[in-house]
Amino acid sequence: MTKLAAEEELCDAERFSDVIDFDVQEDVKYYLQHKDTAAAAAKIQQHLEKQDNIPLNIAITGESGSGKSTFVNAFRGVSDDEEGAAPTGVKQTTPEVTAYPHPNYSNVTLWDLPGIGTTKFPADKYLKLVGFEKFDFFIIISDTRFTENDVKLAKEIQKMKKKFYFVHSKIDNDINAERRKRDFSAERTLKVIRDDCVHSLQGIKSPRVFLVSSFKQRWCDFSLLQETLERELPMKKRDALLCAMLNINPEIINKKKQALKSKIKYWATLSAAGAAVPLPGLSIAVDAALLVGAVTHYVFVFGLDILSLKRLSNRTGVPYADLCAVIISPLAAVEITTELLLRVIAQAEEASRFTPLTGIPVAMSLSSTTTSKVLNVILNQLADDAHRVFEKALEL
């Protein structure tokens, strides 16, 4: 490695202060200063894997029959009749604490808790029995007015210094019931319901109540709830939640894009580390493997993988083929392989949408700068596709 190349890699490492842990940052600097690129790459790879596996545990609780299981499924983007869905029904369907991992991110788990105040789970022993320690925050659900048990539970959660949020579910049923009235006003109806919920939560200082429909997530406060949870989580937990969020508004897609963009410098430095190893052909193999991993992650985060698109089709009723028809990137709705990715990059000179990459010789090792360009272009394309799919799903 030349002195100039080593200095360039060190500068890359020094620019990580906004997204990398201090200890990791110092280790990477040390390894690059001593020209140990393999150790630097291994440290960054280890950090990336750790970041992708930070656990997030969300407790969904409330009285029996309030719509907890349906909410669990909706939050995960899973239909009620899909394999792995939380069972729903008119009878009590959650007899014990049950974990439901996100279908794409196993580190994100929603826990469907039994109804508070049942014989097996009395209110005064509820938190201890469900194992409150493992949960990052609680969502307390009711489909009518919140009860005395809900207030007791919130106060106990508060004592444990955990966050909690009140969700009034089945708001679509409330709106439809009121719609038959001659002087119906959706805005007035929502205000009455919200005020009634707040009034029933006397004893809780400034309770935050979100009115949601698990079947129509763009109604009312579902987006606001997602944004509030993401904003109030500790920094290290935010990306985990953001990846698992449904694309129910353009702002969430944009947030995902920015979060992914902030990590491109990681991949670029890993690419530079591969280029520093004096073995012919190794760098391009390392770059291809890195890019496949990064691009596959992008596709899943934006919900552009095949299973996510099929789930979206099932939820919205928009045919899967119609959703795929608005996708431009050749890397969405397919399995990402090294051959496909290299073929896409090789077509750069012929595809106008890859103009920034014109002149990149695929047969040569990709530099740190080139890796950044490749990932930025692909990220922009997939984000644009996510917006198009979002609009098509809603027939906007």
Side-chain angles (χ1 to χ4, degrees), residues 135-193:
F135 305 123
D136 290 289
F137 59 85
F138 291 75
I139 294 177
I140 304 172
I141 294 183
S142 174
D143 62 337
T144 54
R145 300 185 73 204
F146 290 96
T147 67
E148 183 179 350
N149 280 339
D150 295 322
V151 174
K152 287 180 180 178
L153 176 58
K155 288 181 177 179
E156 290 301 314
I157 295 171
Q158 205 165 34
K159 288 179 184 177
M160 306 300 180
K161 300 188 183 304
K162 301 248 183 180
K163 289 189 177 294
F164 57 90
Y165 307 87
F166 294 102
V167 165
H168 178 90
S169 63
K170 306 180 185 179
I171 195 65
D172 48 331
N173 291 347
D174 295 321
I175 291 294
N176 290 334
E178 290 294 315
R179 197 183 298 277
R180 294 190 292 269
K181 295 182 179 179
R182 185 178 303 174
D183 60 345
F184 168 75
S185 165
E187 183 178 352
R188 184 172 64 248
T189 299
L190 293 175
K191 184 180 185 308
V192 169
I193 294 172

Side-chain angles (χ1 to χ4, degrees), residues 92-363:
Q92 182 176 331
T93 53
T94 312
E96 58 188 21
V97 178
T98 308
Y100 292 98
H102 189 276
N104 291 340
Y105 301 98
S106 58
N107 57 309
V108 177
T109 305
L110 275 75
W111 295 81
D112 194 357
L113 307 187
I116 183 173
T118 60
T119 304
K120 190 176 178 181
F121 291 88
D124 58 341
K125 298 180 180 178
Y126 187 79
L127 285 178
K128 183 177 180 180
L129 290 172
V130 300
F132 76 93
E133 301 93 345
K134 62 176 169 282
F135 305 123
D136 290 289
F137 59 85
F138 291 75
I139 294 177
I140 304 172
I141 294 183
S142 174
D143 62 337
T144 54
R145 300 185 73 204
F146 290 96
T147 67
E148 183 179 350
N149 280 339
D150 295 322
V151 174
K152 287 180 180 178
L153 176 58
K155 288 181 177 179
E156 290 301 314
I157 295 171
Q158 205 165 34
K159 288 179 184 177
M160 306 300 180
K161 300 188 183 304
K162 301 248 183 180
K163 289 189 177 294
F164 57 90
Y165 307 87
F166 294 102
V167 165
H168 178 90
S169 63
K170 306 180 185 179
I171 195 65
D172 48 331
N173 291 347
D174 295 321
I175 291 294
N176 290 334
E178 290 294 315
R179 197 183 298 277
R180 294 190 292 269
K181 295 182 179 179
R182 185 178 303 174
D183 60 345
F184 168 75
S185 165
E187 183 178 352
R188 184 172 64 248
T189 299
L190 293 175
K191 184 180 185 308
V192 169
I193 294 172
R194 194 185 306 276
D195 289 347
D196 187 52
C197 287
V198 171
H199 180 73
S200 67
L201 292 169
Q202 291 184 4
I204 304 296
K205 184 179 180 180
S206 303
R208 286 176 292 181
V209 177
F210 299 87
L211 311 182
V212 307
S213 165
S214 294
F215 297 110
K216 299 179 180 179
Q217 289 97 339
R218 279 187 53 80
W219 277 29
C220 301
D221 299 335
F222 207 105
S223 291
L224 179 61
L225 173 63
Q226 287 194 148
E227 292 166 9
T228 302
L229 298 179
E230 187 259 341
R231 184 178 63 250
E232 296 188 357
L233 273 172
M235 185 67 70
K236 290 186 177 182
K237 299 272 188 177
R238 289 180 188 173
D239 278 1
L241 178 64
L242 193 58
C243 288
M245 280 186 183
L246 295 176
N247 295 339
I248 57 177
N249 64 46
E251 290 74 21
I252 289 176
I253 297 174
N254 292 335
K255 279 189 174 184
K256 289 182 175 183
K257 179 181 176 180
Q258 291 307 311
L260 294 171
K261 190 178 183 68
S262 72
K263 293 183 180 180
I264 286 180
K265 56 189 73 177
Y266 285 130
W267 301 107
T269 295
L270 285 172
S271 175
V277 180
L279 291 176
L282 175 61
S283 180
I284 188 64
V286 171
D287 286 324
L290 290 173
L291 289 172
V292 166
V295 172
T296 299
H297 181 54
Y298 294 174
V299 169
F300 275 88
V301 169
F302 286 125
L304 296 173
D305 59 287
I306 295 171
L307 287 179
S308 293
L309 287 168
K310 287 184 176 179
R311 288 191 185 101
L312 179 61
S313 174
N314 290 336
R315 293 199 312 271
T316 61
V318 178
Y320 173 76
D322 290 356
L323 296 177
C324 291
V326 301
I327 293 174
I328 293 176
S329 172
L331 298 170
V334 295
E335 180 184 355
I336 309 297
T337 64
T338 301
E339 292 74 17
L340 172 61
L341 193 55
L342 291 179
R343 188 163 64 247
V344 169
I345 298 173
Q347 294 169 349
E349 293 182 334
E350 301 175 11
S352 60
R353 59 183 179 275
F354 279 97
T355 299
L357 302 183
T358 299
I360 295 175
V362 177

